[in-house]
Amino acid sequence: MNASSDHVRIVEVGPRDGLQNERAPLPAEVKIALIDRLSATGLETIEATSFVSPKWVPQLADAAEVYRGIRKVPGVSYPVLVPNLQGYERARAVGAAEVAVFTAASEAFNRRNVNASIDESIERFVPVLERARADGVAVRGYVSTVLGCPYQGEVPVGDVVRVARRLHELGCHEVSLGDTIGVGTPAKARAMLRAVAQEVPMATLAVHFHDTYGQALANILACLEEGVRVVDSAVSGTGGCPYAKGATGNVASEDVVYMLHGMGLHTGVDLDLLVATGAWLAAQLHKETASRVTRARTAA
Amino acid sequence: MNASSDHVRIVEVGPRDGLQNERAPLPAEVKIALIDRLSATGLETIEATSFVSPKWVPQLADAAEVYRGIRKVPGVSYPVLVPNLQGYERARAVGAAEVAVFTAASEAFNRRNVNASIDESIERFVPVLERARADGVAVRGYVSTVLGCPYQGEVPVGDVVRVARRLHELGCHEVSLGDTIGVGTPAKARAMLRAVAQEVPMATLAVHFHDTYGQALANILACLEEGVRVVDSAVSGTGGCPYAKGATGNVASEDVVYMLHGMGLHTGVDLDLLVATGAWLAAQLHKETASRVTRARTAA
């Protein structure tokens, strides 16, 4: 982690969080080409795929093939999502050196999403975190629905704090706070982050916004002002939201990088290469890019 | 003007700045229906049309018919754009009670846009402002290209300050600072506004962002933090940008109002009615709405 105040690390989640919510699945070789292109942009972290059961996420059933196929550029991390110890072992079998686990801040969401209470799903991580520690594998923790839930509505900040603290205590080197349904606004995002940062060091926190209501960049700005320096995003803004049809997905990496660079913050990312990658991915998906920067830059 | 710190006045510019840049012109009766719908949402200010020559803006050649046709709701202002004294007189002939004048902070832009230097175009306003003062007509001033110019690139902040101060001194009750090509980012927007506010009272300033690079809401947030309380926006995010094909237009009013209300700020606008109006307008224009809130709220 780079803790200098003018460096922001982008965690590119497009190949995982983006593509797992796209209707048209991409062939493994296209996913590999995507990640290789992303590696060339200067990104430091690229979430490559998910070892969740293909029954749940058929779009990423080729996780092993994709992970094996990508060029691992020295200095770039390629974490993969794992739901439990079995997924962890599948990920390790292909050489994954960093993994991510996930739970929700909303009890209702967690029950519908993984058919378990939050505490039960955290218990499933415990052996993953123990094994990872023994293996020297870094574990990232995701907390979803931090600013709202499609089932229970409001999510108390205290619930977010409790889950984030638990993931931190269990050994997650980083905890990513996700507004899964994109309903948050800047003051709420700021208050949530501030509350979590009272219990978990800011340097170990990341923010993860979906742009469903167009609020993502404003929320990121508010969180940067609070001191966060790790931001999740997806090239070309891929990913729908399965809970709100027609809604847009992850905030587009291009738009985040454009904002950060415009503010004098550094990411190490070559925006031109990122825009070219986003335009290429949109063509592969046969859809218009959700990145406004890429749309403006590639307009005829 | 409401100067209380938790009230933000939205200046709805869709019927003018939005529609003047839409390729498919709408019939006058649809424009009238649009403004009447907007009047019912609780908006305090709706820029109704433009009395610029139809040679320049054929989309709004029906300005007189539209202005005459709209229902003037007590308490709502319906300013119209005027380029010079002749336009002012046409506007007054149909009863306009508030007008707006415009110039650029970029010399290169102003020359291409109105074939005059900034100083020359300001000179054209002087008789408009004199007449307006005598008539008791409020005049809003627009400064465009405050964060960048398609011809000269960077626009020095000092140039923005100079033009904004001149409009204020000439008697404009409000000066709207516009990022015409949407290239600005929050730190630059904040620095620009701060510099202007040292010379022109913050309570008389408005901000006007286009969402070409997706930065509009983040820029608005930064400007709200600086103290601005008047924000221009266009329902459904109408308007292209003639200088960047395929680029998006004004920031969508729905997305601004969603953010403001989520932050505990008041606008007096009924968001449900605004979303319904945005969806209706998008249907009239036969295009997808550019408002993410409207897209999310109206998704099947």
Side-chain angles (χ1 to χ4, degrees):
Chain A
M1 172 156 359
N2 188 325
S4 75
S5 68
D6 67 348
H7 182 86
V8 175
R9 185 158 56 85
I10 300 289
V11 175
E12 169 59 48
V13 298
R16 196 277 302 171
D17 194 26
L19 296 187
Q20 83 175 26
N21 289 311
E22 290 288 338
R23 281 175 202 185
L26 292 177
E29 61 265 27
V30 175
K31 294 175 185 167
I32 292 166
L34 169 63
I35 295 169
D36 287 349
R37 280 171 176 261
L38 290 169
S39 292
T41 64
L43 282 160
E44 296 167 72
T45 309
I46 303 167
E47 197 174 60
T49 184
S50 166
F51 287 87
V52 167
S53 167
K55 276 186 297 183
W56 301 349
V57 184
Q59 292 93 332
L60 302 181
D62 54 9
E65 182 183 357
V66 168
Y67 194 86
R68 277 204 200 91
I70 59 173
R71 198 162 43 86
K72 280 86 177 177
V73 172
V76 180
S77 296
Y78 301 93
V80 298
L81 202 69
V82 301
N84 50 32
L85 197 53
Q86 194 187 354
Y88 175 82
E89 283 164 352
R90 287 173 57 221
R92 288 293 289 160
V94 295
E98 183 173 345
V99 299
V101 296
F102 58 97
T103 187
S106 153
E107 199 66 60
F109 187 88
N110 211 63
R111 286 199 177 276
R112 296 232 199 170
N113 196 36
V114 298
N115 198 26
S117 73
I118 293 171
D119 287 342
E120 284 165 356
S121 71
I122 290 175
E123 283 312 304
R124 292 180 193 164
F125 303 155
V126 173
V128 173
L129 282 146
E130 285 171 357
R131 188 77 66 84
R133 191 178 299 117
D135 294 345
V137 167
V139 182
R140 182 173 221 245
Y142 281 103
V143 185
S144 67
T145 59
V146 299
L147 293 173
C149 168
Y151 310 119
Q152 77 180 45
E154 292 283 323
V155 175
V157 170
D159 293 356
V160 181
V161 174
R162 185 180 73 85
V163 175
R165 188 179 52 210
R166 185 89 180 100
L167 292 180
H168 176 70
E169 288 168 352
L170 282 170
C172 289
H173 77 285
E174 187 166 284
V175 176
S176 172
L177 305 165
D179 181 12
T180 312
I181 56 172
V183 294
T185 42
K188 287 176 188 163
R190 184 193 299 275
M192 179 277 298
L193 177 62
R194 191 177 289 179
V196 174
Q198 285 176 348
E199 307 272 340
V200 181
M202 186 67 87
T204 68
L205 295 176
V207 291
H208 180 113
F209 289 106
H210 286 230
D211 207 27
T212 318
Y213 289 79
Q215 309 293 308
L217 278 192
N219 291 340
I220 290 169
L221 175 63
C223 292
L224 289 169
E225 289 173 355
E226 285 298 306
V228 85
R229 287 295 178 269
V230 184
V231 177
D232 297 2
S233 60
V235 66
S236 198
T238 50
C241 176
Y243 316 102
K245 262 190 198 168
T248 48
N250 288 271
V251 65
S253 303
E254 302 95 305
D255 300 3
V256 174
V257 169
Y258 181 93
M259 181 176 83
L260 295 172
H261 290 187
M263 297 176 69
L265 296 164
H266 304 293
T267 64
V269 176
D270 181 321
L271 181 58
D272 291 338
L273 286 178
L274 192 64
V275 164
T277 302
W280 173 86
L281 176 58
Q284 299 295 321
L285 289 165
H286 304 291
K287 61 188 279 191
E288 195 189 14
T289 180
S291 162
R292 304 221 166 181
V293 169
T294 294
R295 217 181 293 166
R297 288 263 180 109
T298 59
Chain B
M1 171 154 359
N2 188 325
S4 74
S5 67
D6 67 348
H7 181 88
V8 174
R9 184 159 55 88
I10 301 290
V11 175
E12 167 62 48
V13 298
R16 197 278 302 171
D17 195 26
L19 296 186
Q20 83 175 26
N21 289 310
E22 290 288 337
R23 281 175 203 185
L26 292 177
E29 62 265 27
V30 174
K31 294 175 185 167
I32 292 167
L34 169 63
I35 295 168
D36 286 349
R37 280 172 175 260
L38 290 169
S39 290
T41 65
L43 282 160
E44 296 166 72
T45 309
I46 303 168
E47 197 174 59
T49 185
S50 166
F51 286 87
V52 167
S53 166
K55 276 186 295 182
W56 301 349
V57 185
Q59 293 93 333
L60 301 182
D62 53 9
E65 180 183 356
V66 169
Y67 194 86
R68 277 204 200 92
I70 59 174
R71 199 162 42 87
K72 280 87 177 179
V73 172
V76 180
S77 294
Y78 301 93
V80 298
L81 202 69
V82 301
N84 49 34
L85 196 55
Q86 192 187 356
Y88 176 83
E89 283 164 354
R90 288 174 54 221
R92 289 290 290 162
V94 294
E98 184 174 345
V99 299
V101 296
F102 58 97
T103 188
S106 153
E107 199 65 60
F109 187 88
N110 210 64
R111 285 199 177 277
R112 296 232 199 172
N113 197 37
V114 297
N115 197 29
S117 72
I118 293 171
D119 286 342
E120 284 164 356
S121 71
I122 290 175
E123 284 311 306
R124 291 181 194 163
F125 303 157
V126 174
V128 172
L129 282 146
E130 286 171 357
R131 189 76 66 85
R133 190 177 301 117
D135 294 346
V137 166
V139 182
R140 182 172 220 244
Y142 281 104
V143 185
S144 67
T145 60
V146 298
L147 293 172
C149 168
Y151 310 119
Q152 77 180 47
E154 292 284 323
V155 175
V157 171
D159 293 356
V160 181
V161 173
R162 185 180 72 86
V163 175
R165 188 179 51 211
R166 186 87 181 102
L167 292 180
H168 176 69
E169 288 168 353
L170 283 170
C172 289
H173 77 284
E174 186 166 284
V175 176
S176 173
L177 304 165
D179 181 12
T180 313
I181 57 173
V183 295
T185 42
K188 286 176 189 164
R190 184 194 300 276
M192 179 277 298
L193 178 62
R194 193 176 290 179
V196 174
Q198 284 176 348
E199 307 272 341
V200 181
M202 186 67 86
T204 66
L205 295 175
V207 292
H208 181 112
F209 289 105
H210 285 229
D211 207 28
T212 318
Y213 289 79
Q215 309 294 307
L217 278 192
N219 291 341
I220 290 169
L221 176 62
C223 292
L224 289 169
E225 289 172 356
E226 284 299 307
V228 85
R229 287 295 179 270
V230 184
V231 177
D232 296 4
S233 61
V235 67
S236 198
T238 49
C241 176
Y243 316 101
K245 264 191 196 166
T248 47
N250 287 271
V251 65
S253 303
E254 302 95 303
D255 300 5
V256 175
V257 169
Y258 181 93
M259 180 175 84
L260 295 172
H261 290 185
M263 297 176 70
L265 296 164
H266 304 293
T267 64
V269 175
D270 181 321
L271 182 57
D272 291 338
L273 286 179
L274 193 62
V275 164
T277 302
W280 173 87
L281 176 59
Q284 298 297 321
L285 289 165
H286 304 292
K287 61 188 278 192
E288 196 188 14
T289 180
S291 161
R292 304 217 168 187
V293 169
T294 294
R295 218 181 293 167
R297 288 265 180 106
T298 58

